[in-house]
Amino acid sequence: MRAVCWTGRHQVEVRDVPDPVIIDGRDAIVRVTSTAICGSDLHMYDGYIPSMRAGDILGHEFMGEVVEVGNEVKNLRPGDRVVVPFAIACGDCAPCRRSEFSLCENTNPSTRALAGLNGFTSAGLFGYSHLYGGYAGGQAEYVRVPYADVGPHVVPGGLRDEQVLFLTDIFPTGYMAAENCAIKPGDVVAIWGAGPVGLFAALSASMLGAERTIVIDRVPERLRMAREHCHAETINFDETEDVVEALKEMTGGRGPDGVIDAVGMEAHPSGLSGLYDKAKQTVRMQTDRPTALRQAIQACSPGGVVSIPGVYAGFIDSMPLGAAFAKGLTFRMGQTHVHRYVGPLMREIEAGNVDPGFLVTHRLPLASAPDAYRTFRDKQDGCIKVVLDPAA
Amino acid sequence: MALEIREPDGRRRVQRTVTVLRSPSDCYSAWRDFARLPSFMDSLESVTVDPTSGRSHWKVKAPAGQSVEWDAEVVEDVPGSFLSWRSLPGADPANSGEVVIREAPGGRGTEVTIALSYEPPLGEVGRIAAKLLGEEPAMQLDEDIVRFKEMMETGRIPTTAGQPNGRNRPSVAKRGAA
Ligand SMILES: NC(=O)c1ccc[n+]([C@@H]2O[C@H](COP(=O)([O-])OP(=O)(O)OC[C@H]3O[C@@H](n4cnc5c(N)ncnc54)[C@H](O)[C@@H]3O)[C@@H](O)[C@H]2O)c1
Ligand SMILES: [Zn+2]
Ligand SMILES: [Zn+2]
């Protein structure tokens, strides 16, 4: 089969690889009908996630048709159309029982590496480096889905791929980021990053009752999408002297009650501290570039919540912890517990309350992956979300 | 990381605790059934138990032509909470182990502590055995106890062995391209 392989920093290649087979009784094999490129894939593409090996198959946002199931999978049958959460969860451990699926303790075959780095292990993830288990990803014609009795969710008839594909990651990720803000009546939520995650966070914050949402980015078409599809107001940080002051002015001097960092460790320079981060990361004195996070902490209203769906992988410095302390802020973060949200959000889509398909700007054949990664990363050609079609 | 203690006499003792979402009696039974240990203790090839004497015979995974094995006996056995064993005279390295099992608070399952001790090897065989048991016994125990938890909670150990990858595979030309 054909699969998108990471071959080095800023390099992906579509290669001819063996088809996946059932390895364990709880596996399923899925024929992929649609698969997307995520901002998280860019962190690997740009070489900021350690433990990648040339030849690793990428992709954690995918859906398709079940073609084979292991003898212990009773809830799926060949022919079922499924979406698959990007985190791999066993369903049996304490975190899984608490619905904290991305903290699953039993699905990562390389526990030692991650425990060495973080103190503890966390769930295996599809196509997300050997720290997260080295599972082959779904930017391919076929994919092996382990613990298939727990992850895949059958798609009701009548829904198109583009309507449900983002239930695998970014819609739940935006939703959990907004939920983590514990939104109360009258709350204003500010979101850094108008990428797919930030846009879904804005949309979700208004679904959860935020009075107003404000999205900060510098890419005009992304900001336009935030206004047109996500009920958000916007700030272009390239055209704004001081984002924190601007937010205060927009919120009666109170500052946003919830702030969401949907940018992560590769934030673009915004203000002086941004240049400092870029320089430090370039010489590898810090692994992550927390420009957006710092601004979010600074802007957050006293007593507010800092919600971090943006990915961090290592160390950051010059964090305004004093500001966070003085304002009594609450921090919530982590990989999304996708399984929790697939059912409820699927029902919202079925009921016609929301249609995530608005996000797709590029639908390309799988073979175009090398170009598609570049276009998405460089935000060329109005690119906001790429969906790859393995059959094209 | 497992605790590793090197006693002044050269004895090494490694210890590690894990919480398992199963009952104390399930965890106890899994250790008491020595024959099952190789399913999660990676350095073991097999353990067989003599049903009459209760003594066990332990065999370590070794390259062809080498054999590292010894006999052991149970020292103390408190069903549901404690189990210890030691190798019989003649084993090299002489070794022993114990498992402490107690209920975790608030329905969190069972805390299982496993401790293994190895005397310094006496001869060539002992040195080979010590090597095979893990140059770094603490690291070995870390991995073994994770596998124990995975076996207990899910009945399997997660793996990617046998999945496809693109190493040394040909690139596919874009369709329609020359
Ligand atoms: N927590 C999870 O489970 C989870 C899941 C999916 C993605 N993510 C992470 O979420 C983040 C965003 O993902 P995405 O797919 O939307 O990526 P993306 O790269 O498309 O979007 C990031 C956006 O942030 C903007 N940006 C950069 N610097 C900024 C700054 N200083 N201030 C404001 N905006 C800035 C960029 O212009 C871009 O539009 C990534 O870190 C990704 O890894 C996390
Ligand atoms: Zn993703
Ligand atoms: Zn689990």
Side-chain angles (χ1 to χ4, degrees):
Chain A
M1 66 165 184
R2 290 167 305 146
V4 178
C5 300
W6 185 91
T7 55
R9 194 163 167 227
H10 297 154
Q11 283 175 359
V12 300
E13 239 177 62
V14 180
R15 288 189 173 171
D16 186 26
V17 308
D19 288 350
V21 294
I22 302 270
I23 296 172
D24 181 271
R26 289 175 74 180
D27 287 357
I29 304 294
V30 169
R31 182 177 62 81
V32 179
T33 53
S34 293
T35 174
I37 306 177
C38 177
S40 301
D41 293 324
L42 294 181
H43 298 320
M44 286 173 277
Y45 186 69
D46 290 337
Y48 288 112
I49 305 278
S51 83
M52 290 296 294
R53 288 191 208 141
D56 286 345
I57 300 173
L58 291 168
H60 59 269
E61 300 182 359
F62 60 87
M63 62 178 295
E65 186 192 317
V66 174
V67 292
E68 200 184 342
V69 294
N71 59 6
E72 293 171 72
V73 179
K74 304 293 179 213
N75 57 319
L76 295 176
R77 261 178 297 172
D80 282 347
R81 195 167 155 242
V82 293
V83 290
V84 181
F86 77 87
I88 302 170
C90 78
D92 300 316
C93 68
C96 281
R97 297 276 174 91
R98 298 194 301 262
S99 296
E100 293 176 335
F101 297 98
S102 72
L103 303 180
C104 177
E105 295 170 339
N106 292 324
T107 56
N108 188 342
S110 35
T111 47
R112 200 173 76 208
L114 200 58
L117 193 66
N118 297 343
F120 289 88
T121 181
S122 35
L125 310 175
F126 288 102
Y128 214 107
S129 91
H130 291 266
L131 282 176
Y132 290 93
Y135 286 102
Q139 288 169 6
E141 290 181 89
Y142 294 90
V143 61
R144 166 195 173 226
V145 177
Y147 306 90
D149 51 333
V150 178
H153 194 105
V154 175
V155 180
L159 297 175
R160 286 172 295 111
D161 275 20
E162 286 178 10
Q163 287 178 285
V164 294
L165 174 60
F166 305 135
L167 292 173
T168 59
D169 178 353
I170 48 174
F171 191 7
T173 294
Y175 194 85
M176 185 167 116
E179 199 179 65
N180 277 341
C181 290
I183 295 166
K184 308 173 295 303
D187 274 5
V188 180
V189 177
I191 298 113
W192 277 255
V197 171
L199 292 168
F200 277 126
L203 187 65
S204 304
S206 66
M207 286 168 73
L208 287 163
E211 182 75 26
R212 289 163 63 204
T213 56
I214 304 169
V215 171
I216 301 121
D217 203 308
R218 65 171 175 189
V219 182
E221 61 273 18
R222 294 183 173 214
L223 292 172
R224 191 177 333 117
M225 198 174 264
R227 290 190 298 271
E228 288 175 2
H229 290 277
C230 309
H231 324 290
E233 299 160 54
T234 57
I235 294 177
N236 184 324
F237 70 79
D238 264 357
E239 297 166 358
T240 308
E241 191 71 35
D242 187 332
V243 171
V244 174
E245 282 308 315
L247 281 167
K248 267 192 176 168
E249 277 314 300
M250 291 168 83
T251 54
R254 299 186 305 276
D257 307 279
V259 296
I260 297 177
D261 171 1
V263 177
M265 62 181 170
E266 291 184 68
H268 298 296
S270 167
L272 257 188
S273 95
L275 291 173
Y276 166 81
D277 284 329
K278 178 82 198 164
K280 280 200 110 172
Q281 196 178 41
T282 305
V283 298
R284 304 278 188 229
M285 278 169 66
Q286 80 181 347
T287 55
D288 302 354
R289 222 157 58 205
T291 322
L293 180 56
R294 258 192 226 117
Q295 235 172 39
I297 293 171
Q298 208 67 31
C300 190
S301 177
V305 180
V306 181
S307 163
I308 314 175
V311 165
Y312 290 85
F315 301 88
I316 56 178
D317 64 14
S318 300
M319 284 305 297
L321 201 61
F325 184 85
K327 294 193 285 183
L329 303 184
T330 299
F331 283 73
R332 307 290 307 270
M333 64 191 85
Q335 298 283 3
T336 306
H337 307 305
V338 178
H339 303 60
R340 231 196 244 171
Y341 301 98
V342 179
L345 293 178
M346 183 84 81
R347 281 190 288 280
E348 293 289 321
I349 295 167
E350 244 192 312
N353 297 335
V354 46
D355 184 351
F358 71 85
L359 196 69
V360 182
T361 53
H362 290 66
R363 183 169 245 289
L364 298 166
L366 188 79
S368 304
D371 296 333
Y373 266 81
R374 216 170 308 118
T375 307
F376 176 51
R377 192 201 56 163
D378 298 339
K379 303 174 183 66
Q380 286 166 351
D381 194 26
C383 185
I384 297 177
K385 191 73 177 177
V386 182
V387 176
L388 298 170
D389 180 354
Chain B
M1 180 52 108
L3 213 60
E4 180 170 356
I5 300 160
R6 249 175 212 274
E7 311 284 4
D9 59 5
R11 200 155 53 91
R12 306 170 92 169
R13 183 185 152 90
V14 290
Q15 182 186 314
R16 178 78 149 106
T17 302
V18 71
T19 298
V20 178
L21 200 58
R22 292 289 294 266
S23 70
S25 80
D26 285 350
C27 294
Y28 165 82
S29 308
W31 283 99
R32 186 66 187 84
D33 183 2
F34 289 129
R36 273 168 68 181
L37 299 187
S39 70
F40 56 88
M41 296 192 83
D42 206 33
S43 52
L44 292 178
E45 160 103 33
S46 66
V47 183
T48 46
V49 182
D50 181 317
T52 37
S53 69
R55 287 182 171 178
S56 48
H57 183 74
W58 301 55
K59 222 171 167 171
V60 171
K61 278 183 195 162
Q66 286 171 343
S67 105
V68 174
E69 34 199 299
W70 66 81
D71 291 317
E73 65 183 0
V74 169
V75 179
E76 207 184 327
D77 183 1
V78 187
S81 63
F82 186 82
L83 177 67
S84 65
W85 63 91
R86 70 172 164 235
S87 59
L88 292 174
D92 188 15
N95 63 86
S96 60
E98 63 180 51
V99 182
V100 183
I101 288 163
R102 56 204 171 277
E103 201 174 335
R108 283 166 171 76
T110 301
E111 296 172 9
V112 180
T113 299
I114 156 98
L116 302 173
S117 291
Y118 303 96
E119 304 281 335
L122 293 172
E124 185 56 22
V125 173
R127 269 189 291 279
I128 294 169
K131 222 172 178 162
L132 295 171
L133 287 165
E135 306 255 20
E136 311 221 36
M139 209 178 261
Q140 181 71 53
L141 180 59
D142 267 351
E143 296 190 341
D144 288 349
I145 204 146
V146 164
R147 278 188 287 265
F148 168 66
K149 175 183 165 69
E150 289 163 350
M151 283 299 283
M152 289 304 293
E153 293 185 346
T154 70
R156 74 210 62 230
I157 289 159
T159 182
T160 55
Q163 73 172 11
N165 67 61
R167 286 180 261 292
N168 305 314
R169 301 291 302 186
S171 186
V172 180
K174 222 169 166 172
R175 271 184 204 174

